[in-house]
Amino acid sequence: MSADTLHVRDLTVSYSGVPALSRVCLNVAPGEVLALLGPSGSGKSTLLHTIAGFHSPQAGEVWLNGRRVSSASRSEPPERRDLAMVFQNYALWPHLSALDTVAYPARRRGDGRNVARAQALVILERLNVGHLADRHPAELSGGEQQRVGLARALARRASLYLFDEPTAHLDSHVRGVFLAELVTRQRDTGAAAVYAAHDAEETLGLADRVALLAHGRVIQVGTPQQVYREPVNELAAKLTGPVSVLTSPGGSPRVLVRPEWASLDGDRDGRVVEVWFRGPHSDYVLVTDQGTLLVREPGPPRHERGAQLTWRLSHSWALRESTMTAEPSVSQLPSQTPSSVAVPE
Ligand code: ADP
């Protein structure tokens, strides 16, 4: 059997006969962070819950650390699996202070009270809630409760962590701290993680590899750079960030252009129809004879709506016409190592 922490093989899960996951295949190595990126309803939560043992598959298998834990005929209960799952809402025990909540996993492992509490305080401080250590949940705001819940998850030790959009309701600076803490912890402990999100930027920055989900199927698996620069189709491109689809002279093939692959001042004509100042950079929407193009440049806007100007491309990615569908065939997947590619049937 493979040495992977997690091995998901041909997993199919249905609700009342309607498939939510279809023949999903994934591997996660020890210490690896795999992000699941997909729109709402694409099957991310169903996949995490099935890995955790809350759902049983209709077909396929889940293996953890070389042991089969789920199949159509037999599933081990969640508490027998060596994993920790963090949901969007972090139910805290009302009778425990933040410090005791976060110290609890270490106490269960047999650490002494003072040791467990000292470790807990370090984690709370890293998430900027150390000063609230003595408070109970009723005395904490919603965002503070979430940070205590995340701190409790980080205090647990498991070979696999499952995160279901854990940062969906956090302020961006807290989210950054949490994600940095998560990655540090992974490296320290060698634990693997599967992290479901719909925020492409956050996901690409966090993950070692990204699995793109659409309609219950994995449509591409690769490093963040692979899925961003070489999407298997237009849908995959849209899941990983803003993109324009241009027609080449002659109409075919169509090419994908990320906003930073285009710049102003070149040899092609365009007209500005929208300008957005975004802080570190500005976005322009141009109408061109190859289609609508989003251009991103550093700094404040240099042009106004209605301006006629020129543009050029530093890079583009050609789509094969047959990759226009949501479900690529084997031959349409870019070359990657076999273990990093889930091949839909
Ligand atoms: P995501 O986490 O990507 O938003 P989900 O796994 O929650 O996606 O949902 C995948 C599909 O399964 C959706 O079509 C959703 O409506 C359906 N689904 C999820 N949970 C249930 C359920 N308990 N009963 C019936 N259908 C469900």
Side-chain angles (χ1 to χ4, degrees):
M1 201 46 235
S2 76
D4 284 324
T5 300
L6 173 68
H7 175 57
V8 172
R9 210 179 84 196
D10 274 342
L11 201 67
T12 296
V13 179
S14 307
Y15 296 106
S16 312
V18 180
L21 293 177
S22 302
R23 307 206 66 172
V24 166
C25 297
L26 288 173
N27 291 316
V28 183
E32 189 178 35
V33 180
L34 177 82
L36 301 175
L37 187 58
S40 180
S42 57
K44 303 181 296 294
S45 296
T46 301
L47 179 54
L48 292 181
H49 283 84
T50 308
I51 295 168
F54 295 111
H55 293 318
S56 294
Q58 272 67 39
E61 297 176 343
V62 177
W63 293 68
L64 280 176
N65 302 309
R67 214 160 51 85
R68 188 172 61 189
V69 293
S70 288
S71 67
S73 57
R74 194 181 156 275
S75 280
E76 277 196 0
E79 63 275 12
R80 302 260 305 270
R81 303 182 180 203
D82 178 18
L83 50 77
M85 180 153 181
V86 184
F87 297 93
Q88 272 181 45
N89 52 3
Y90 319 85
L92 300 178
W93 296 297
H95 61 291
L96 287 190
S97 69
L99 190 64
D100 286 331
T101 299
V102 180
Y104 183 78
R107 293 285 285 150
R108 260 193 85 182
R109 287 196 297 271
D111 289 354
R113 186 163 187 263
N114 289 345
V115 171
R117 291 182 124 212
Q119 290 169 352
L121 189 58
V122 170
I123 300 174
L124 285 170
E125 278 171 354
R126 290 213 189 134
L127 292 173
N128 294 335
V129 280
H131 60 293
L132 306 174
D134 293 331
R135 296 217 194 151
H136 288 73
E139 300 163 320
L140 297 170
S141 74
E144 290 162 352
Q145 288 185 31
Q146 286 174 354
R147 281 183 260 175
V148 174
L150 287 173
R152 180 178 61 186
L154 291 173
R156 289 193 58 177
R157 280 192 203 144
S159 65
L160 179 66
Y161 290 84
L162 304 176
F163 294 97
D164 192 2
E165 305 219 19
T167 60
H169 310 294
L170 291 184
D171 295 343
S172 64
H173 70 282
V174 179
R175 191 179 339 186
V177 171
F178 167 69
L179 296 176
E181 182 68 16
L182 169 65
V183 170
T184 308
R185 200 146 275 263
Q186 306 278 139
R187 302 217 166 103
D188 290 351
T189 64
V194 182
Y195 184 101
H198 64 263
D199 179 334
E201 207 175 311
E202 170 181 308
T203 308
L204 296 178
L206 171 82
D208 297 309
R209 283 187 305 137
V210 180
L212 303 180
L213 248 76
H215 311 298
R217 289 174 185 270
V218 174
I219 59 171
Q220 186 172 7
V221 184
T223 64
Q225 294 216 25
Q226 279 171 336
V227 294
Y228 186 78
R229 288 180 67 88
E230 302 170 0
V232 287
N233 57 30
E234 196 175 328
L235 178 64
K238 286 180 173 160
L239 285 176
T240 46
V243 69
S244 309
V245 184
L246 298 184
T247 50
S248 314
S252 178
R254 302 205 297 165
V255 296
L256 298 179
V257 180
R258 297 294 186 186
E260 68 282 7
W261 298 349
S263 56
L264 302 181
D265 305 326
D267 53 2
R268 307 181 202 187
D269 293 324
R271 181 168 55 85
V272 179
V273 291
E274 291 289 350
V275 183
W276 290 296
F277 173 55
R278 306 257 191 221
H281 56 256
S282 299
D283 285 339
Y284 303 87
V285 179
L286 307 188
V287 171
T288 80
D289 59 5
Q290 291 176 249
T292 303
L293 175 67
L294 180 65
V295 180
R296 179 163 296 172
E297 287 206 332
R302 309 190 272 136
H303 299 279
E304 293 187 347
R305 221 189 293 176
Q308 291 284 345
L309 39 68
T310 57
W311 57 278
R312 65 196 160 88
L313 298 181
S314 59
H315 184 74
S316 64
W317 172 246
L319 278 177
R320 279 173 254 173
E321 283 308 302
S322 53
T323 64
M324 287 295 132
T325 60
E327 292 156 19
S329 70
V330 175
S331 62
Q332 292 155 357
L333 290 163
S335 56
Q336 293 167 346
T337 55
S339 67
S340 70
V341 180
V343 181
E345 297 271 315

